[in-house]
Amino acid sequence: MEIYLIILLITILLFRLCYFFEYFSKFEFKSLVGIFVFLFLIIAFFFSIATQIYFVKRIKDNYALSEGKVTFYHTGRGKSEGKVQYDFKLNGEWVSNTYKENHYIEIPDEKPNTNISYLVIYEEDSPQNGYILFNYPITDEDDLLEYEELFKKGIPDDVFYN
C-alpha cells in the first residue's frame, strides 16, 4: 500500500512540474485528468519493473535452494495473472509462499504435476523472496543433489527470464 502512496506523490510532483510548461494550464480539465492518469500508469509500470529487478537481483546475490510442493496453481493464460502458492522446506520446517507471474518468472499455462516436488530458489536472508521453478522437477532424492551441484556454478540462464 505504501508503494502506491509513493507512486501517487511522484505523479503529483511530475504533474505539478508540467504546469510550468507554456499553455499547460490552459488545457481542459478532462485533458489534465487524462495526463495525470497517464503519468500515474507509466510511473506505476516502471516502479513494478524496478521492484522485480531489485528482488531478483537480491536472490542472485545470495540464494539458497530447497524443494517445494505446489499447493495452489492458477494459470496466467488469458486476462488474469498467473499465481502460485507453494510450501517449501526451510531448516527442516515447511513454509508457505505465494507469488504472481512477472517479467522474470513464468508460470506455465498447463497445470504442473502437483504430486511431485520442484526446486525452489529463494533469498537466503529473506526466504519469502523466492520462486518455485517448474522446469526443475524433483522426482527422487538424487535430483535435488544434482540441482545443487548445477547451481554451485551459478544460476542457470533458464531460471530467470529477461
Side-chain angles (χ1 to χ4, degrees):
M1 189 64 182
E2 297 145 359
I3 190 76
Y4 294 117
L5 182 61
I6 293 170
I7 292 170
L8 183 64
L9 291 174
I10 290 173
T11 304
I12 291 170
L13 177 65
L14 286 175
F15 190 76
R16 183 67 182 137
L17 288 174
C18 288
Y19 187 78
F20 293 110
F21 291 130
E22 190 174 348
Y23 301 113
F24 186 79
S25 61
K26 296 177 183 174
F27 280 126
E28 292 181 25
F29 182 74
K30 292 180 198 176
S31 298
L32 291 175
V33 170
I35 292 169
F36 182 80
V37 168
F38 178 74
L39 279 174
F40 180 81
L41 293 175
I42 292 296
I43 292 170
F45 175 74
F46 283 117
F47 262 95
S48 77
I49 297 296
T51 55
Q52 291 171 17
I53 291 170
Y54 173 73
F55 286 117
V56 167
K57 183 179 179 333
R58 286 182 54 173
I59 290 174
K60 287 181 176 181
D61 290 344
N62 186 19
Y63 66 91
L65 302 172
S66 183
E67 69 173 296
K69 287 193 152 288
V70 176
T71 56
F72 174 79
Y73 173 85
H74 183 266
T75 182
R77 190 179 337 154
K79 294 183 179 182
S80 62
E81 283 184 316
K83 184 177 180 180
V84 173
Q85 183 174 358
Y86 62 95
D87 295 337
F88 68 102
K89 284 187 181 178
L90 179 65
N91 300 326
E93 294 182 28
W94 288 92
V95 179
S96 290
N97 197 8
T98 303
Y99 69 90
K100 293 180 180 178
E101 190 169 31
N102 60 49
H103 289 85
Y104 290 95
I105 293 293
E106 186 174 288
I107 296 175
D109 289 338
E110 301 298 321
K111 184 175 181 177
N113 184 351
T114 56
N115 296 324
I116 63 172
S117 295
Y118 294 92
L119 187 65
V120 173
I121 187 168
Y122 62 92
E123 182 184 353
E124 195 164 15
D125 297 333
S126 179
Q128 290 304 109
N129 181 19
Y131 302 100
I132 192 165
L133 305 175
F134 292 107
N135 50 342
Y136 291 92
I138 299 173
T139 54
D140 59 40
E141 291 178 15
D142 294 336
D143 288 342
L144 183 59
L145 297 173
E146 288 175 21
Y147 295 146
E148 287 174 346
E149 194 63 34
L150 174 68
F151 277 72
K152 282 182 183 176
K153 299 173 189 169
I155 296 175
D157 292 337
D158 63 346
V159 172
F160 297 110
Y161 298 99
N162 296 330

